[in-house]
Amino acid sequence: MKKLTLSIAAITLAINGFCTDPPSSQELIKEISMTTEDIIQSIRMINTNDSTITKEISEIYVHNLLDVLSKLEDLQIKYD
């Protein structure tokens, strides 16, 4: 499930990079933020519904993704 979610996120970002009207930096930051939030929700769902991933590993993933969101918010403030 984790690989599927990460693959979908990567495909989404790749498609956005090849569109004819490139998105602005602010739009990219918002899209990356939404994708990261979706991944966090998926990891939390896996943690409660599936025993194949340990709680410690899922907490590490969530912590790292929250760090990414924090950095994206810093970028968004810079571009506003």
Side-chain angles (χ1 to χ4, degrees):
M1 180 72 172
K2 174 184 70 165
K3 290 181 182 180
L4 175 66
T5 304
L6 294 176
S7 297
I8 291 171
I11 290 170
T12 302
L13 291 174
I15 289 171
N16 287 333
F18 290 109
C19 51
T20 56
D21 184 22
S24 68
S25 297
Q26 294 166 338
E27 291 172 338
L28 282 175
I29 290 170
K30 288 178 185 177
E31 289 180 26
I32 293 169
S33 296
M34 289 188 303
T35 302
T36 305
E37 289 170 357
D38 290 343
I39 294 170
I40 290 171
Q41 287 177 351
S42 297
I43 290 172
R44 287 182 174 158
M45 290 297 292
I46 290 169
N47 192 28
T48 58
N49 296 335
D50 193 4
S51 62
T52 60
I53 185 170
T54 64
K55 184 173 176 73
E56 293 81 18
I57 291 174
S58 65
E59 288 175 358
I60 290 169
Y61 286 145
V62 170
H63 174 75
N64 290 335
L65 289 167
L66 289 172
D67 186 46
V68 169
L69 280 176
S70 173
K71 291 175 183 175
L72 284 170
E73 288 174 0
D74 293 343
L75 277 175
Q76 191 170 14
I77 291 170
K78 179 181 176 183
Y79 285 109
D80 282 342

